[in-house]
Amino acid sequence: MPSVHHRWTYVGAGAATLVLLTAGLPSSAVAADAPDLSRFYRQKITWGACAGDGMPADLQCGKVTVPLDYAHPKNGTLDVALARYRATGKSRGSVLLNFGGPGGAGIAELAQGGGKDFMDLTNGYDVVTFDPRGVGQSSPVSCGEGADQTSDAAGTVTDGGDPQAVLKALRKVASECAAHSGPVLLHMGTVDASRDMDVMRQALGDKKLNYLGFSYGTRLGAVYAAQFPKKTGRMVLDGVDTLTESMAEQGLVGAEGQQTALDDFLTWCTQDVSCPFGEDPREARQQVVRLVASLDRDPLPTGLGQMFSGQDLAGAIGQALYSREMWPALERALGSLVEDGDTQGLMRLSIGGASLPASRTTGTPRATAAPHAGLVDPADIPVDNLPAAFMAINCADDPDRPSAERAAKDVDALRTAYEQASPVFGRYRLTQVLLCHGRPRGTDYIRDKVRNVRTPKMLLVGTRGDPATPYRWTEETAARLGSSAVVLDNKGEGHTGYASSKCVHQKVDDFLLYGSLPDNGSSCGPESGRDNP
């Protein structure tokens, strides 16, 4: 379950607030000047076999139709893809899953491994997931060939190039992303995805939304709780995201966490004679730094018609470090790279262990233009959809847009801070921060409005050794959400706890299935067999 272990233009504030308060109400109860959304809340899902090769026979797929723009629902619609495993006994409704990212495709994730981590939940629920708008089969966004140019431009900044020239290049790439993605790009982000979830809730026949979200999925769940407190049922947030820190602050935290995880991995690796970096952990760390720098200077060609750079290596390593269960695979992949120049293993890790695409072609996603965008065939999902959606959602959620002059002045200080945070991941993380330049300013709803939610008790799981979402974010988000939040302290390692800790898994299932909630501040001990491969 890779994403369980990772995993990366709105309407005006006044109009958005009005729509949020009225969504889901019968048309007779909606204010006369509010958009009429009643037709979207009258849907029923038709379930059938899932498209795509290798899909589990017992996984069913369907869709819901949502407005492209909730403020102007007559200006176009799009379909959102869903999948479910049916309850094995009498169903009490559905539990909706989001695996994180942002930009992770839920259907492919649930299908991988037959959804084995979630089968216990089918004792009482239909287990449902979805590809959020702009992701996977749901009008996937893409930057086309501009995706490579983006990394090149941002890399020039981090290498000390002319900031103004590179910021200009980033603005050009932002335009290319808009051209390749279609109108959905202007209506992505967590606020819209949360509203889509409420349409799903109604279409699934549930009076309240039962929800399990991982990593970014915790941000999505928190936003739903703020938008629809009376429609919130049993909610679990695992690997809790921040609701307040800027992307620049989040990037530093991520770089520091990944560097710590890399150091731990190399300490483990050098105890094995197969480790490609020898037996000295300190020397191994220096070798990785030199390897990243070498590949940035002289990238390796791949079978997909692209080059594999040091930044690609940093991204692949970072992805694998989210779970200690992936360490053996990472060791083998690094060995293949160092000994044979083979990038295949690392490329598989960079996309969560999925099969590599047959070609590098991204193309323009089909069926994204108004008035209606239908689902995209799994074979036609652009190769760069995950990073393109990651950028689009994070930028749509972040209201900080310094001017080009301010950004240029800040680059040197940011570069120094990120390199100090991690000599391996600093540049990669800073690149992600810079990618919002040239995009519309994001919403301030999350920072300003997601607080003191009036919902039933919800369970927040924080893992002490989480390299992506530090435990302090769990505490900070719990305080921000208010008295509804109950914290479970997982004293283990890796990103999120449900898939790696039997204790966490049991407590989450007990809450979702039976309403049995652990005491606030209770804990789960480390899993010796899993946390230490």
Side-chain angles (χ1 to χ4, degrees), residues 206-244:
D206 294 330
K207 293 182 179 180
K208 293 191 175 184
L209 179 77
N210 300 306
Y211 178 80
L212 173 55
F214 301 97
S215 193
Y216 159 77
T218 69
R219 187 197 313 171
L220 181 57
V223 169
Y224 183 90
Q227 289 178 307
F228 304 101
K230 294 183 179 180
K231 300 296 183 182
T232 301
R234 295 173 184 172
M235 179 170 286
V236 179
L237 310 180
D238 184 3
V240 182
D241 203 353
T242 179
L243 299 175
T244 57

Side-chain angles (χ1 to χ4, degrees), residues 8 66 148 318 402 449 485 496 512 524 529:
W8 248 88
V66 297
D148 291 335
K449 302 297 184 183
T496 74
L512 289 173
C524 284

Side-chain angles (χ1 to χ4, degrees), residues 411-495:
V411 163
D412 286 340
L414 284 171
R415 180 170 57 242
T416 298
Y418 273 72
E419 288 175 350
Q420 289 176 348
S422 171
V424 173
F425 303 106
R427 173 177 166 182
Y428 182 82
R429 286 289 188 165
L430 179 54
T431 296
Q432 293 178 334
V433 173
L434 295 173
L435 291 176
C436 286
H437 187 77
R439 293 174 181 263
R441 179 181 180 274
T443 181
D444 54 9
Y445 178 84
I446 298 174
R447 287 190 196 172
D448 291 351
K449 302 297 184 183
V450 185
R451 62 173 73 239
N452 298 321
V453 296
R454 297 182 179 181
T455 67
K457 296 290 185 181
M458 63 177 69
L459 181 60
L460 278 61
V461 181
T463 299
R464 291 285 177 168
D466 195 318
T469 51
Y471 185 78
R472 68 174 175 84
W473 283 359
T474 302
E475 296 177 318
E476 292 168 2
T477 299
R480 185 176 178 84
L481 293 176
S483 59
S484 295
V486 173
V487 172
L488 175 62
D489 180 356
N490 177 30
K491 299 183 184 300
E493 302 290 334
H495 185 34

Side-chain angles (χ1 to χ4, degrees), residues 208-331:
K208 293 191 175 184
L209 179 77
N210 300 306
Y211 178 80
L212 173 55
F214 301 97
S215 193
Y216 159 77
T218 69
R219 187 197 313 171
L220 181 57
V223 169
Y224 183 90
Q227 289 178 307
F228 304 101
K230 294 183 179 180
K231 300 296 183 182
T232 301
R234 295 173 184 172
M235 179 170 286
V236 179
L237 310 180
D238 184 3
V240 182
D241 203 353
T242 179
L243 299 175
T244 57
E245 293 188 1
S246 67
M247 283 192 66
E249 292 170 323
Q250 293 178 49
L252 274 176
V253 169
E256 292 169 348
Q258 286 184 309
Q259 186 64 48
T260 298
L262 176 61
D263 292 346
D264 291 343
F265 163 76
L266 291 173
T267 297
W268 170 84
C269 180
T270 51
Q271 296 172 2
D272 182 359
V273 294
S274 299
C275 184
F277 304 116
E279 300 178 357
D280 182 352
R282 181 175 299 182
E283 173 59 24
R285 294 179 188 113
Q286 293 305 312
Q287 286 188 54
V288 174
V289 173
R290 291 194 294 267
L291 182 59
V292 170
S294 174
L295 286 172
D296 277 334
R297 291 190 303 268
D298 188 17
L300 289 172
T302 72
L304 299 179
Q306 65 189 105
M307 305 300 286
F308 188 84
S309 70
Q311 296 313 293
D312 294 322
L313 174 60
I317 294 173
Q319 198 84 327
L321 290 174
Y322 282 132
S323 169
R324 288 193 176 220
E325 291 181 347
M326 297 176 72
W327 283 11
L330 176 59
E331 180 185 21

